[in-house]
Structures are given as C-alpha cells and as structure tokens.
Amino acid sequence: MEMEDDSVATIVYTSIGDTGLAKERIEIHGGGRSAVIDDFRAVELWARGRRRRKSWWSQDKGQREQIATWVKGLQEGSSPIPVHEIFRVHAACFAAIRCIENGSVSTECLPSL
C-alpha cells in the first residue's frame, strides 16, 4: 500500500509457513531504524548497527485492553477507532480483493491511503 507521504506498507497474511515459526511477526523500517516483533513475546530494536532486545514470558496481544476500551466507548457513546480509519481499512481490503481478481498489482486497484 502506498501512503500519502509516499511510504510503502506491505502486509502478508498467510498460513502456509512452518508451524514452529512464531504465529505473528511485525517488521517496521523507517528513518534508518528497524523494529521486529515476534509473536508479541519479543521485540528487537535496531539503530546505528546496534540491537536492543526485550522479551516477555507471557504474551500480550492487547485483547483485554481492547474489550475494556470497547466497553468504555459503549458507556461514553464514543468510538475507540475514528470512523475515517475504519473506512480506510475497508478500502484497502476491497482494493486487495480487486487486485487478486485482476491478477495484478496495478495502481488502478490500489487506493492511496
């Protein structure tokens, strides 16, 4: 996905990898720095060729906080996620479906987010 500031995001969601590998892996790169999150149990932060690593015994994917935020939103009559962000996520999903249907990754099926 191409963002408004010309940065690019790539999302790969698959179930074809080896089962021994962490279920979720997030890599973020920008400004000469990198961060890698493995299965929400460990994070590596890279800057100027140096690595810092932190790990946890337990896994926190944020579900407890998500439910608490949702309940708070119901009580206060507010949405925890701005509506425009929800629309952008759906636009990206529909664009991905169009790309799959067209068999291409042309700019015609990808929205500028």
Side-chain angles (χ1 to χ4, degrees):
M1 293 180 286
E2 186 176 313
M3 305 298 175
E4 288 177 358
D5 66 355
D6 291 328
S7 62
V8 176
T10 303
I11 299 172
V12 177
Y13 192 86
T14 182
S15 62
I16 61 172
D18 187 273
T19 57
L21 187 64
K23 290 190 298 182
E24 286 134 339
R25 181 178 176 95
I26 301 167
E27 294 187 18
I28 304 163
H29 307 278
R33 298 175 182 208
S34 299
V36 178
I37 301 169
D38 270 323
D39 218 12
F40 297 98
R41 291 182 190 256
V43 63
E44 289 184 0
L45 302 172
W46 291 84
R48 295 182 299 264
R50 294 179 182 235
R51 177 182 81 150
R52 287 189 351 210
R53 180 173 166 78
K54 172 109 173 131
S55 60
W56 298 265
W57 286 102
S58 63
Q59 186 180 51
D60 181 7
K61 295 184 181 184
Q63 288 114 334
R64 198 170 308 211
E65 184 179 346
Q66 178 184 8
I67 296 300
T69 302
W70 179 72
V71 169
K72 182 180 176 186
L74 290 176
Q75 292 169 340
E76 296 177 354
S78 62
S79 174
I81 304 171
V83 173
H84 73 277
E85 288 184 22
I86 294 171
F87 289 145
R88 288 171 58 157
V89 167
H90 283 77
C93 292
F94 292 135
I97 291 169
R98 281 194 303 276
C99 285
I100 292 167
E101 290 173 345
N102 296 340
S104 71
V105 188
S106 68
T107 56
E108 296 163 5
C109 65
L110 296 174
S112 178
L113 302 174

